[in-house]
Amino acid sequence: STGAVKMQPKAEELKFVTKNDGYVHIHPSSVNYQTRHFESPYLVYHEKVKTSRVFIRDCSMVSVYPLVLLGGGQVHMQLLKGDFVISLDDGWIRFVAASHQVAELVKELRCELDQLLQDKIKNPSMDLCMCPRGSRIIGMIVKLVTTQ
């Protein structure tokens, strides 16, 4: 008369996958060590150490849009089995977009942000929030990230 309830993994059982190291675990000294559930399957980390196994420290969960917009490498889009897929890091990280239009808009927003940051590097005194193009791009990113 009672159903089985899926148990959250114990802290030492929780593991993530990296491109170069395979499975990694959150270090016991990390603030997130006792966190047993993350809303997003993606983490960013500052430090990786290998003792009895590979551990990451100083990690934070990151959701899809910030990862796509601020992650390293080029953003690519392709059609796979009827789904529009946005990929990063030569296809190692992939996301299925809700539609072709969403995929194109996210890719274009990333290109605009990259160009805006290049402009800022060339002209450090440029105020990104005061220039019309910069404020539109930043406003769109804030809206996208806060409403996802």
Side-chain angles (χ1 to χ4, degrees):
S1 67
T2 60
V5 177
K6 185 177 179 182
M7 300 288 292
Q8 294 292 336
K10 295 178 183 172
E12 62 273 5
E13 296 171 341
L14 190 62
K15 55 188 172 186
F16 294 87
V17 179
T18 66
K19 185 176 180 179
N20 298 323
D21 298 298
Y23 289 112
V24 298
H25 302 266
I26 298 175
H27 196 275
S29 68
S30 176
V31 171
N32 284 326
Y33 180 69
Q34 293 297 327
T35 304
R36 296 172 5 166
H37 174 75
F38 294 93
E39 293 295 319
S40 171
Y42 304 102
L43 296 180
V44 292
Y45 61 90
H46 179 261
E47 184 178 30
K48 182 171 48 174
V49 295
K50 183 174 183 178
T51 54
S52 58
R53 52 188 175 178
V54 180
F55 291 99
I56 56 174
R57 285 191 216 165
D58 304 324
C59 61
S60 295
M61 183 202 74
V62 63
S63 55
V64 173
Y65 285 129
L67 187 59
V68 171
L69 294 172
L70 301 168
Q74 294 292 316
V75 175
H76 299 281
M77 187 189 66
Q78 58 188 351
L79 181 63
L80 291 173
K81 298 178 183 176
D83 291 324
F84 293 97
V85 177
I86 300 170
S87 63
L88 300 169
D89 200 13
D90 298 325
W92 194 76
I93 300 172
R94 294 187 281 185
F95 311 100
V96 176
S99 68
H100 179 258
Q101 184 179 17
V102 169
E104 284 291 344
L105 289 172
V106 169
K107 183 178 177 184
E108 185 63 29
L109 186 56
R110 168 65 187 263
C111 291
E112 288 292 326
L113 177 60
D114 287 347
Q115 185 58 54
L116 183 64
L117 294 174
Q118 287 295 325
D119 294 347
K120 177 67 174 173
I121 290 168
K122 290 177 188 170
N123 182 9
S125 63
M126 181 172 103
D127 186 344
L128 296 179
C129 294
M130 296 308 283
C131 75
R133 181 172 162 260
S135 64
R136 280 195 313 271
I137 293 168
I138 292 169
M140 184 59 65
I141 290 170
V142 168
K143 185 175 182 178
L144 181 67
V145 170
T146 58
T147 59
Q148 72 172 331

